[in-house]
Amino acid sequence: MYTRQPTPSTQCGDYTSAPDLAFGTNQAIITDEIEVSGTSGTLTDLNVVLVIDHIWTADVEARLTSPSGAQVDLVIGECLGDDNINVLLDDDGPALSCETGSIPVLFGTFAPEGSLADFNGEDFNGTWTLEVLDNFAVVDDGTLVSWCLIPTLE
């Protein structure tokens, strides 16, 4: 029997955005930013929580860009026609996996499509940008509910 993990978004702290930003038929690509300042040290690990409501998660792509311009793909067209994403993305997590018939279909802790370790060694301060894309925007809509950054600094 599968036991649900704690909601990933409960792990968010200071570096959180909850824009409830719509995307889809009116705007296929959206971006949202988290401005970080006043931290010291460089990144040694970064995890990301991503909460997206969308009725066809296979349409959704999400990419994170650091203040230096480095980019990492977080999710790319997961779970076919099922609903919603609520994940903690951690390089140490298992591969993305869908829980068919459940809402959200993508729930828990998983490794992102790309490697968040690509950000290791960077200064955490600056503007972090999340880009969310609906590949079939003429068909349906979605909402970027919230996202956050969970850094380990050294």
Side-chain angles (χ1 to χ4, degrees):
M1 184 171 135
Y2 180 79
T3 302
R4 284 267 182 187
Q5 301 169 17
T7 303
S9 58
T10 62
Q11 300 180 46
C12 291
D14 292 337
Y15 312 110
T16 300
S17 178
D20 275 330
L21 195 56
F23 63 98
T25 52
N26 292 324
Q27 189 168 359
I29 300 172
I30 58 166
T31 60
D32 190 52
E33 297 177 343
I34 293 176
E35 183 68 34
V36 176
S37 63
T39 65
S40 58
T42 57
L43 277 170
T44 58
D45 187 46
L46 181 66
N47 296 332
V48 178
V49 170
L50 187 60
V51 181
I52 296 175
D53 288 347
H54 196 285
I55 63 167
W56 196 271
T57 57
D59 294 355
V60 177
E61 294 184 17
R63 176 176 301 111
L64 182 63
T65 303
S66 72
S68 75
Q71 294 186 331
V72 171
D73 290 327
L74 301 178
V75 295
I76 302 175
E78 310 299 332
C79 304
L80 299 176
D82 293 314
D83 297 358
N84 304 342
I85 298 169
N86 189 336
V87 293
L88 169 66
L89 298 167
D90 179 344
D91 284 338
D92 295 329
L96 287 162
S97 152
C98 305
E99 189 179 337
T100 305
S102 177
I103 297 176
V105 68
L106 196 53
F107 180 91
T109 300
F110 300 101
E113 289 287 339
S115 176
L116 292 166
D118 290 353
F119 298 132
N120 289 357
E122 289 196 27
D123 184 352
F124 186 54
N125 292 305
T127 303
W128 291 80
T129 304
L130 180 70
E131 178 183 84
V132 179
L133 163 70
D134 187 331
N135 284 311
F136 295 95
V138 296
V139 178
D140 47 32
D141 295 318
T143 302
L144 171 58
V145 177
S146 64
W147 66 290
C148 74
L149 304 170
I150 305 170
T152 301
L153 303 172
E154 184 174 281

